[in-house]
Each structure stands twice: as structure tokens, then as C-alpha cells.
Amino acid sequence: MRKIVIAGNWKMYKTQAEALEFLQGFKSELDNTPDDREIVLCVPFTDLDSLSKTLHGSRIQIGAQNVHWETEGAYTGEIAAPMLTEVGVRYVVVGHSERRQYFGETDETVNLRLKAAQKAGLIPILCVGETKQQRDAGDIESHIFSQLAKGLVDVDQTNLVIAYEPIWAIGTGDTCAPAEANRVIGLIRSKLSNPNVPIQYGGSVKPDNVDEVMAQPEIDGALVGGASLEAKSFARIVNFQ
Ligand code: 13P
């Protein structure tokens, strides 16, 4: 059985006060949420500790949005895995397209970060996906297969989540057609040594399309940006039918 993982990626949004306010509204919407799904909030570094304390004993797991491959060192602006686990972080997003595009993340550094996360006991969420140009040129498969081949060298596939996030669908309202996301995710699965790795879809997932996305047989969850910032909206996504 593949695990269902619904994760919010807050990106660079929400102060601690805003995060705690979100939780007040969000937690009360989870009373009837089926047990079959894992709920994760991937939040800015400054929110990790307070959310983790507030959520202690709840079913909501905390995730970070980046992790360095060394356990400590002179790496200004980075964060080490033991710093995350110390405050109760369980998941970490690795290789998001925004990190690749704006901060020079490569498949090689993604690979180092994945291994460091796993070594510390974190579950990494590896993001892969193509640009609009790559899609139009018919290069989806070759691009994603290359991201997987380089990113997953020596990575433990029993302790991993993958997110298929077509870059053109992120933050645009232009969701990938669920059947097409299902097709690409099936292709991703065909390249894995462990077919039970949960594979999420990400890119303009909203309350009004989540049921159709989650009805696809290959799709095991969602990685949600904008629609995870508002409590009722993210609760509706977590409570997909
Ligand atoms: P949106 O849901 O805002 O399109 O963002 C998706 C994403 O990048 C999640 O990591």
C-alpha cells in the first residue's frame, strides 16, 4: 500500500504569529479527516520550532524547505539536518524548482541533500518537473528521467517521497490535466526500484480540483503552494474525497 501524503509548501510566507493563527483555523477542520493520509506543513525556518511545539501529539507533521549536506560548517545561510530534527522536523522539500531556478540548485546538490536528510532520519520530498519549453519540445520524459537518475544515486527509496511539479503549472492556476499528471507519475514510478514510493502532484492544486487529482490511480498526494496558505482552503484539500 502506498502512503497518501498531502503537504503544504508555504514557501516564504507567514511569520510565527501568522503561522499560529493559521493553525487555530486549520486544526478544527481535521476532526473527520480519514486516517489514510499524512498531513505535512513545510514552513519557513523561523516557524518550525513554534509549530512543532504547538503540534506536539497532533497528526500534523512538520517539514522544512531545504537542508544542507554537511552536519555543520561555514555555509552562511544554510541549515543542517540535525538542526531540523532537533526541533521535531520530519519532512524536508529538496530540489524545488524555485531553488533550482533562483538559487543554483543542481541535480548533484539535490542528491547530496537527499542523502544527508535520510541519514538524519528525515523524509525528503524530491521535486522534479519540466518547463513549458521542455514540454513543448517533447522533452518531458528525458528531462525528468535525467533528474531522477542523477538525483537518486545512492538514495534510499524506502524513505522518500517524490513530487511531480511541472514548472509551468506552479503558481499559475494552470493545473496539469489530472490524466496527464497521472501518466507522467506512472512513468516516474517505472524508473524507481521501489514502486511503493509515494508520488505527489504539485502545481495549482486547489479545493476545486483536488478530488479529481486524487482520483487518479498513480497520484499518491499533493504538494500545495498558494492554496495551503489559507486554513479552510488547505483543510478542504486535506479532506479530499
Ligand atoms: P502552487 O500550488 O502555488 O501552484 O505551488 C505549487 C508548489 O510549488 C508546491 O511546492
Side-chain angles (χ1 to χ4, degrees):
M1 262 285 276
R2 305 195 308 254
K3 189 164 68 169
I4 296 172
V5 184
I6 307 290
N9 173 12
W10 282 359
K11 307 191 180 184
M12 199 173 70
Y13 289 97
K14 292 200 192 293
T15 62
Q16 282 193 54
E18 290 164 346
L20 295 173
E21 190 186 332
F22 169 96
L23 276 192
Q24 285 192 345
F26 183 61
K27 275 165 67 181
S28 60
E29 302 281 332
L30 303 183
D31 293 343
N32 299 315
T33 305
D35 290 335
D36 62 354
R37 54 203 74 177
E38 183 106 317
I39 307 168
V40 186
L41 287 171
C42 300
V43 303
F45 293 133
T46 52
D47 297 339
L48 292 171
D49 188 42
S50 55
L51 282 203
S52 174
K53 288 188 176 115
T54 309
L55 290 172
H56 190 74
S58 99
R59 63 179 288 184
I60 305 169
Q61 303 282 345
I62 300 296
Q65 298 172 16
N66 195 14
V67 61
H68 195 265
W69 50 90
E70 297 291 345
T71 52
E72 60 180 9
Y75 300 103
T76 302
E78 289 281 333
I79 194 98
M83 298 167 180
L84 298 176
T85 54
E86 183 188 40
V87 296
V89 172
R90 188 83 187 97
Y91 285 84
V92 61
V93 177
V94 174
H96 192 280
S97 60
E98 288 150 15
R99 302 262 353 139
R100 296 178 191 255
Q101 184 179 353
Y102 303 128
F103 303 101
E105 193 81 66
T106 64
D107 291 320
E108 288 69 30
T109 54
V110 164
N111 177 253
L112 292 171
R113 293 183 201 274
L114 290 171
K115 289 187 287 189
Q118 290 184 330
K119 197 166 169 204
L122 294 163
I123 302 174
I125 302 176
L126 164 64
C127 301
V128 297
E130 81 286 355
T131 62
K132 182 85 174 72
Q133 290 88 327
Q134 286 163 333
R135 172 161 284 261
D136 291 345
D139 292 340
I140 311 173
E141 287 81 359
S142 59
H143 175 66
I144 292 175
F145 291 169
S146 163
Q147 286 185 317
L148 291 171
K150 292 178 186 156
L152 290 178
V153 176
D154 294 332
V155 168
D156 171 12
Q157 293 191 13
T158 62
N159 188 29
L160 176 71
V161 174
I162 293 177
Y164 169 54
E165 296 209 309
I167 295 169
W168 49 272
I170 294 178
T172 57
D174 191 9
T175 323
C176 182
E180 170 61 5
N182 187 67
R183 182 187 75 85
V184 177
I185 287 175
L187 290 173
I188 292 172
R189 196 177 309 285
S190 74
K191 292 287 164 186
L192 302 178
S193 56
N194 174 14
N196 291 322
V197 172
I199 309 180
Q200 303 171 308
Y201 166 75
S204 298
V205 174
K206 307 280 178 213
D208 62 8
N209 61 26
V210 67
D211 296 339
E212 195 187 350
V213 168
M214 290 307 300
Q216 304 298 317
E218 294 287 351
I219 301 182
D220 304 321
L223 186 57
V224 187
S228 73
L229 292 170
E230 203 269 309
K232 280 214 165 8
S233 149
F234 191 49
R236 173 62 185 87
I237 290 172
V238 163
N239 289 322
F240 74 86
Q241 285 144 24

